[in-house]
């Protein structure tokens, strides 16, 4: 009996990840609520005007060259609905073909539901696009929260958390998560540079997307844990 017992970890090594995760999610949700409430009440943010104007010259033209502006458009396309949909479909099909269809379904469900929820959020807030500077690309939908920022956070952060258990080296894990965060930040910043979003729209999109990705990551852990338990139980019964 004593051989099967494992010693408990020392108290200093017991990291309360559940409590930390709940606290972080609560903080993100509170920040998102405060932003949305300020926008609904018709309030404005000083940093919105300052950042938009800082990226334009006195004539309203971007401060950088046309070549750089073209690069920014390429970056913003990485957060478009078309690109993200293709990416999610390919990843889901790849996982299904490798026998991990549960994970593929969860990823597809997380990304699709997040995109729909963000659209509903946009309609509920109904904030218009900024008219402080000329837009460098055409956009017609509502502004808050940024769909590119939210959807890219949902997709790329979800894929990074998916790759986490597959990567054994801490450096590889750090690179995967860092690359996802860097990509999400670049896409959000590109929306401000192009003048099609207020910075607060992008900030709200990041918060919304991160919160959604964390929530579905927890769901994925629970579902996969149950499937592993069920498979272990079934294999044990067959062994008898």
């Amino acid at each position: 009996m004593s051989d099967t017992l494992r010693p408990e970890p020392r108290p200093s090594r017991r990291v309360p990840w559940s409590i930390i995760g709940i606290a972080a999610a609560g903080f993100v949700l509170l920040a998102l609520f405060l932003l949305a409430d300020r926008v609904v009440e018709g309030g404005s943010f000083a940093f919105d005007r300052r950042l938009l104007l800082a990226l334009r010259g006195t004539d309203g033209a971007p401060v950088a060259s046309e070549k750089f502006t073209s690069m920014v458009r390429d970056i913003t396309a990485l957060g478009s609905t078309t690109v993200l949909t293709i990416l999610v479909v390919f990843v889901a099909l790849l996982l299904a073909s490798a026998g991990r269809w549960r994970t593929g379904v969860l990823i597809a469900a997380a990304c699709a539901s997040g995109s729909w929820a963000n659209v509903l959020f946009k309609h509920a807030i109904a904030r218009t696009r900024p008219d402080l500077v000329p837009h460098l690309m055409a956009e017609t939908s509502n502004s808050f929260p940024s769909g590119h920022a939210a959807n890219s956070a949902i997709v790329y952060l979800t894929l990074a958390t998916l790759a986490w258990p597959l990567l054994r080296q801490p450096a590889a894990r750090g690179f995967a998560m860092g690359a996802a965060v860097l990509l999400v930040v670049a896409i959000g910043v590109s929306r401000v540079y192009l003048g099609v979003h207020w910075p607060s729209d992008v900030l709200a999109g990041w918060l919304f997307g991160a919160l959604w990705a964390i929530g579905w990551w927890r769901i994925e852990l629970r579902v996969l844990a149950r499937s592993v338990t069920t498979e272990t139980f079934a294999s044990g019964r067959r062994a008898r």
Side-chain angles (χ1 to χ4, degrees):
M1 181 68 178
S2 59
D3 294 337
T4 61
L5 296 178
R6 296 180 180 179
E8 292 188 5
R10 290 182 297 179
S12 60
R13 293 184 179 180
R14 297 175 188 167
V15 182
W17 290 116
S18 297
I19 298 176
I20 294 174
I22 293 173
F27 174 78
V28 172
L29 185 60
L30 177 62
L32 182 60
F33 172 78
L34 293 176
L35 279 174
D37 183 66
R38 182 77 172 270
V39 172
V40 170
E41 293 296 328
S44 58
F45 303 92
F47 67 88
D48 274 341
R49 296 180 58 87
R50 290 174 183 171
L51 289 177
L52 273 178
L53 292 175
L55 296 172
R56 300 300 176 92
T58 55
D59 57 350
V63 293
S65 64
E66 180 58 34
K67 183 177 181 179
F68 181 81
T69 302
S70 178
M71 292 171 57
V72 172
R73 291 193 183 97
D74 293 337
I75 292 174
T76 208
L78 297 176
S80 66
T81 301
T82 301
V83 172
L84 293 179
T85 300
I86 292 174
L87 178 61
V88 170
V89 169
F90 281 1
V91 171
L93 292 176
L94 176 62
L95 289 169
S97 65
R100 302 186 61 180
W101 62 269
R102 288 189 184 90
T103 303
V105 170
L106 284 172
I107 289 177
C111 297
S113 60
S115 178
W116 296 332
N118 187 68
V119 170
L120 294 176
F121 199 2
K122 277 177 173 283
H123 287 308
I125 303 299
R127 188 186 199 183
T128 58
R129 298 274 176 174
D131 56 1
L132 187 62
V133 296
H135 296 179
L136 300 181
M137 65 183 303
E139 293 288 355
T140 57
S141 62
N142 292 321
S143 188
F144 184 98
S146 166
H148 278 65
N151 293 332
S152 63
I154 292 171
V155 172
Y156 293 121
L157 293 182
T158 297
L159 294 181
T161 56
L162 169 66
W164 189 271
L166 303 177
L167 303 173
R168 300 301 181 183
Q169 298 297 325
R173 289 179 170 182
F175 176 81
M177 186 59 67
V181 172
L182 181 61
L183 188 56
V184 170
V185 170
I187 291 171
V189 171
S190 72
R191 305 302 286 169
V192 178
Y193 178 87
L194 295 173
V196 294
H197 274 297
W198 298 104
S200 55
D201 298 336
V202 172
L203 178 59
W206 285 336
L207 293 174
F208 179 87
L211 186 64
W212 200 268
I214 291 172
W216 275 89
W217 174 60
R218 295 298 302 172
I219 293 174
E220 179 187 357
L221 289 180
R222 289 182 178 274
V223 171
L224 294 181
R226 289 179 181 176
S227 65
V228 169
T229 302
T230 302
E231 292 173 0
T232 302
F233 178 75
S235 62
R237 294 194 64 179
R238 287 193 298 267
R240 293 179 185 177

